[in-house]
Amino acid sequence: VMFLLETAGVPIEEVGKVLSLQPELVGCSLKKKLEVIAKFFFFHGIRREELGTMVSDFPMLLKYSLSTLKPKLKYIIMVMKLPLKEVIKFPR
């Protein structure tokens, strides 16, 4: 819960929704999984509050692996030429 609030930037009123949709997040490793995913998005210029919005809208996002996220983001930005704000707006 602290990770969702402090690192991922999920608003406090959305934490219950996120955990009810993805209860497995409680058992995920902070160091090996959740923090790695958060750092990936931060590296690509997504701010904490924006990540919180994305996770609130699509909690499954935190369960993806880097090997899944990297090519998806690369395709969206390099091939589709969509701005990062579109990824933030529609994380699915």
Side-chain angles (χ1 to χ4, degrees):
V1 170
M2 296 308 291
F3 167 82
L4 292 174
L5 291 169
E6 295 175 1
T7 304
V10 175
I12 194 164
E13 61 273 3
E14 297 289 325
V15 170
K17 174 185 138 188
V18 169
L19 290 177
S20 68
L21 291 172
Q22 291 298 317
E24 308 85 35
L25 290 175
V26 174
C28 283
S29 169
L30 281 173
K31 296 281 184 211
K32 293 180 183 176
K33 182 73 173 169
L34 299 176
E35 288 180 359
V36 171
I37 298 301
K39 287 177 184 176
F40 170 78
F41 285 112
F42 297 152
F43 175 80
H44 285 90
I46 294 174
R47 296 186 331 260
R48 190 176 79 79
E49 297 78 22
E50 294 168 331
L51 180 58
T53 301
M54 293 169 64
V55 171
S56 296
D57 185 43
F58 188 54
M60 179 80 175
L61 188 64
L62 291 176
K63 292 191 60 194
Y64 286 144
S65 67
L66 282 182
S67 61
T68 300
L69 288 172
K70 283 179 182 179
K72 287 180 184 290
L73 189 60
K74 183 178 180 181
Y75 181 81
I76 289 168
I77 293 171
M78 304 297 278
V79 177
M80 294 179 71
K81 307 255 188 244
L82 292 175
L84 197 57
K85 68 179 182 173
E86 292 297 315
V87 174
I88 295 164
K89 200 185 294 185
F90 304 106
R92 285 177 176 81

